[in-house]
Amino acid sequence: MKIDILTVVPDLLESPFSHSILKRAREKGLLQVNVHNLRKWAINKHMQVDDYQFGGGAGMVIMPEPLANAIDELQQDGKYDEIIFMTPDGKPFTQKTANNLSLKENILIICGHYKGIDERIRQRYVTMEISIGDYVLSGGELAAAVVVDAIGRLIPGVLNDETSALFDSFQDNLLAPPVYTRPADFRGDKVPEILTQGDPKKVEEWRHEQSLLRTRERRPDMLEE
Ligand code: ADE
């Protein structure tokens, strides 16, 4: 899978994909992430990519030309399956969206900044608008990092134990059960016996029960869905 990211602050995206699981995915050639500085497509020698909004009001808006020129040029290497704009007024990001996106081959993510991007780019180019939560970040970069992380780890072959993503919270509309490691007795707090008795069927039942309990307690809305 190839993911291109368009941003005015590429430095913000230097580290998130260079560690741990996503680093391995890139090294294995399963994931390619290219961060592009939108200023490469600036409209003048002052590197301008934004301007005041029509109708007045505080905050700059990213102009349509740099974005359109960037998308047209990048798309010469292959048409995007999805052009995503990160924005707080987008569709809330869920595990289901991550699952669907992990099956795509070629994605572009546009990070907004300032007041956002010119509406005409949203109308003409963007195929999907994503919000990572009901709060406003200073730009779309951290949100894009969240989305790339969530989908990158789902690409087949990325996780060592491929089945492990199947048991993540949200994959079956339940939160994940608690997990324990050594020591079996930590300052008097013991690991639930069932986990140390070696009966896989009982362990599975216990985990499912714990998932249900946890979901009912913390996210009853998920059980109503
Ligand atoms: N840009 C600013 N805030 C955002 C959010 N909550 N989700 C996605 N992109 C954003």
Side-chain angles (χ1 to χ4, degrees):
M1 174 191 288
K2 174 167 85 72
I3 303 179
D4 287 334
I5 305 179
L6 259 180
T7 167
V8 286
V9 263
D11 289 355
L12 266 178
L13 290 167
E14 216 154 73
S15 171
F17 317 123
S18 306
H19 305 277
S20 178
I21 291 170
L22 290 203
K23 180 183 177 197
R24 211 170 53 225
R26 294 172 83 178
E27 285 171 353
K28 280 187 181 170
L30 297 169
L31 174 66
Q32 192 188 332
V33 183
N34 308 310
V35 179
H36 303 277
N37 190 340
L38 183 66
R39 292 199 195 275
K40 188 177 156 199
W41 292 274
I43 59 155
N44 54 32
K45 65 177 192 300
H46 307 294
M47 303 305 260
Q48 186 180 359
V49 293
D50 58 345
D51 211 333
Y52 295 101
Q53 54 176 317
F54 280 120
M60 306 292 273
V61 175
I62 298 187
M63 305 169 86
E65 287 100 332
L67 282 168
N69 290 335
I71 298 168
D72 291 344
E73 187 181 324
L74 291 171
Q75 208 149 217
Q76 281 170 11
D77 291 341
K79 206 169 163 354
Y80 290 114
D81 300 320
E82 215 70 72
I83 297 181
I84 301 169
F85 174 47
M86 302 308 305
T87 175
D89 62 6
K91 189 167 167 242
F93 188 55
T94 60
Q95 190 64 43
K96 190 164 164 234
T97 314
N99 291 345
N100 288 336
L101 288 174
S102 74
L103 302 173
K104 309 275 179 185
E105 287 295 324
N106 192 17
I107 293 175
L108 173 69
I109 303 181
I110 301 169
C111 302
H113 231 80
Y114 320 115
K115 270 283 162 202
I117 66 173
D118 190 283
E119 183 66 21
R120 290 164 290 184
I121 291 295
R122 295 172 75 160
Q123 302 287 343
R124 194 185 284 231
Y125 286 95
V126 170
T127 59
M128 187 182 236
E129 302 189 323
I130 294 180
S131 162
I132 63 158
D134 288 347
Y135 39 80
V136 179
L137 302 166
S138 49
E141 288 74 17
L142 298 181
V146 166
V147 168
V148 173
D149 188 297
I151 63 184
R153 62 192 288 284
L154 295 173
I155 298 170
V158 168
L159 292 182
N160 271 345
D161 175 1
E162 266 198 59
T163 58
S164 71
L166 297 176
F167 298 107
D168 285 346
S169 282
F170 306 108
Q171 282 298 13
D172 51 6
N173 247 346
L174 291 177
L175 297 179
V179 293
Y180 297 88
T181 184
R182 284 185 292 182
D185 183 334
F186 170 65
R187 299 179 184 175
D189 282 349
K190 295 195 178 56
V191 169
E193 253 175 31
I194 231 158
L195 298 179
T196 56
Q197 283 166 346
D199 183 338
K201 195 157 174 289
K202 281 198 174 145
V203 168
E204 200 184 316
E205 277 168 16
W206 180 87
R207 285 189 173 144
H208 184 65
E209 211 171 275
Q210 292 293 317
S211 277
L212 272 171
L213 276 174
R214 204 159 254 209
T215 311
R216 197 173 299 140
E217 205 175 275
R218 300 178 183 194
R219 292 291 305 275
D221 57 297
M222 285 170 63
L223 293 174
E224 279 154 25
E225 267 171 31

